[in-house]
Amino acid sequence: MTAIQFILIAIAAFIVLAGLYMVIRSFKRRSSADAPVVNYDKNGIPIIPRHERSIVDQPDLEDTVAGETSIGPDRSYLDTVVEQEPVTAPHNTETPSATVQSSANDTPDSNDEDYMRWQEAELRRDDAEFADTAAQMGSEQELDAFSSLVSATDSLMPSIDTAEEPSFDSNSPILDQHLSEPVDEAQNAPLINAKDNINITILPTQYRDRPAAIIRGRDLLALIDKYGLRYGAMNMFHRYEKKDGTGMLWFSMMGITESGIAPFDPHSVATNVYNGVVVFLSLPHPQALRSFDSMMSIAYMMASDLDAILLDENNEPITPEYKQQLRNQVRDYEA
């Protein structure tokens, strides 16, 4: 066998195989084309045409075991995907037996036509009833879903009872006791009824080679507590006969700031700074001499603690002679 003959035999064999492949492929295409196309709805349920539905619902008489008919699967749920046809003919409520009896004298052709019309009317009536039932069930489900949502919202966001906000027309009890306490006029009578004052100024000593000296608020508060002064009437600190704040008022104290002599703010004393302080004795006074001696004694001690000096009303240092002159003046005012 020559090479040419071998090649020709190989080509012939290839052609035969290709022909067989084409024939087999055509048979497969034909079988796939004959297979029915099954459509599915949005829920994945197959949609069976109406003309096949009656065939599917009929039991297969051949599929029996020991004289018992096997029960096919329930396909009633497939009715939900059947499109509704408009009702163009009135419903026929007559039973099949009545129709057969009324048409007993008719010809066989007329019986078949009447039966077909009755069957179509029954199908349309069933479809209409199914559509009404489905619509009613859908509305009930929507209501149930809404009520469930409302109940869930109520459980997540329960109603909160709000308390009525009290009005603040008056001060709190603590502020009332501190700020609105009536002034004891008998105790503070010298300050309330003052006609003259003896003023002593306490200023920190100023040195040329140092920054301007001031009195820090916290240092002043420490001295106030040390010497028994009490915050009271007219936003000033007062020294009473006794350190616990009882007895007759002896003398009072005010602060010196950049704007001048002013009362104290109890909320900012600790953070403020002062250029000095002024102690003064209100006259007339029932215990003028005792009050003056107490004021001068405490003023000297505070000046020593603050490294300060005592000045008179003319901003001159107080000398022992001037102190005695003031004491003689106070004696004249003693009530």
Side-chain angles (χ1 to χ4, degrees):
M1 180 182 295
T2 63
I4 296 175
Q5 291 177 347
F6 180 80
I7 293 173
L8 291 176
I9 292 173
I11 293 173
F14 177 78
I15 293 173
V16 172
L17 293 175
L20 290 175
Y21 174 77
M22 297 298 293
V23 171
I24 293 172
R25 186 176 180 182
S26 63
F27 278 123
K28 289 183 178 180
R29 289 182 177 178
R30 183 177 299 174
S31 60
S32 61
D34 294 338
V37 178
V38 180
N39 297 324
Y40 297 88
D41 64 355
K42 62 181 181 180
N43 297 321
I45 301 175
I47 301 175
I48 299 178
R50 178 176 296 176
H51 66 279
E52 295 181 2
R53 183 179 60 182
S54 59
I55 297 175
V56 173
D57 292 339
Q58 292 179 359
D60 188 3
L61 299 179
E62 295 179 358
D63 189 11
T64 57
V65 179
E68 296 181 358
T69 302
S70 61
I71 301 175
D74 184 9
R75 303 180 184 272
S76 60
Y77 62 89
L78 299 178
D79 296 340
T80 58
V81 299
V82 178
E83 297 181 356
Q84 302 298 327
E85 297 181 357
V87 180
T88 57
H91 297 296
N92 189 359
T93 58
E94 297 180 358
T95 61
S97 59
T99 306
V100 173
Q101 291 178 1
S102 62
S103 59
N105 297 326
D106 296 338
T107 60
D109 295 336
S110 63
N111 291 337
D112 294 339
E113 293 177 357
D114 292 340
Y115 179 77
M116 293 300 294
R117 286 196 299 270
W118 173 83
Q119 188 176 15
E120 292 178 359
E122 288 293 324
L123 289 175
R124 284 193 292 268
R125 186 182 66 178
D126 294 341
D127 293 340
E129 291 178 355
F130 176 79
D132 295 340
T133 304
Q136 184 177 1
M137 291 176 63
S139 62
E140 291 178 355
Q141 291 176 356
E142 291 177 358
L143 292 175
D144 293 340
F146 179 76
S147 60
S148 301
L149 178 61
V150 171
S151 61
T153 305
D154 293 339
S155 62
L156 291 176
M157 299 179 62
S159 59
I160 301 175
D161 296 332
T162 57
E164 183 179 357
E165 295 184 358
S167 59
F168 294 94
D169 297 333
S170 58
N171 293 327
S172 65
I174 297 176
L175 292 177
D176 289 342
Q177 182 179 0
H178 182 69
L179 300 177
S180 301
E181 184 177 359
V183 177
D184 187 348
E185 296 185 1
Q187 184 184 32
N188 297 279
L191 179 66
I192 298 173
N193 303 317
K195 296 181 179 179
D196 195 3
N197 294 317
I198 300 296
N199 302 322
I200 303 296
T201 302
I202 304 174
L203 289 180
T205 303
Q206 305 295 330
Y207 297 94
R208 294 182 179 180
D209 57 342
R210 298 180 185 178
I214 56 174
I215 301 174
R216 295 183 300 179
R218 59 174 178 267
D219 296 335
L220 182 61
L221 287 176
L223 295 179
I224 288 172
D225 181 68
K226 179 179 179 180
Y227 297 115
L229 278 72
R230 299 281 178 170
Y231 183 81
M234 301 182 184
N235 298 334
M236 293 183 291
F237 288 98
H238 309 279
R239 179 60 166 92
Y240 292 91
E241 185 176 355
K242 297 180 181 180
K243 292 185 66 174
D244 60 358
T246 60
M248 180 62 63
L249 182 147
W250 278 359
F251 65 91
S252 305
M253 184 176 71
M254 299 177 67
I256 303 176
T257 63
E258 295 293 339
S259 57
I261 301 175
F264 293 97
D265 182 359
H267 302 290
S268 60
V269 172
T271 57
N272 284 350
V273 293
Y274 300 91
N275 297 330
V277 294
V278 174
V279 293
F280 63 95
L281 171 62
S282 299
L283 299 173
H285 197 288
Q287 301 177 10
L289 289 177
R290 293 185 60 189
S291 299
F292 177 80
D293 293 339
S294 175
M295 180 181 71
M296 296 304 299
S297 177
I298 293 177
Y300 277 114
M301 289 186 291
M302 290 180 66
S304 177
D305 294 334
L306 295 172
D307 189 15
I309 58 175
L310 300 182
L311 302 177
D312 59 14
E313 295 179 352
N314 298 320
N315 291 329
E316 296 292 336
I318 295 179
T319 62
E321 294 78 12
Y322 183 75
K323 177 183 176 183
Q324 185 60 40
Q325 181 181 350
L326 291 177
R327 196 172 191 276
N328 295 332
Q329 182 180 348
V330 168
R331 183 183 293 111
D332 297 336
Y333 280 98
E334 190 170 25

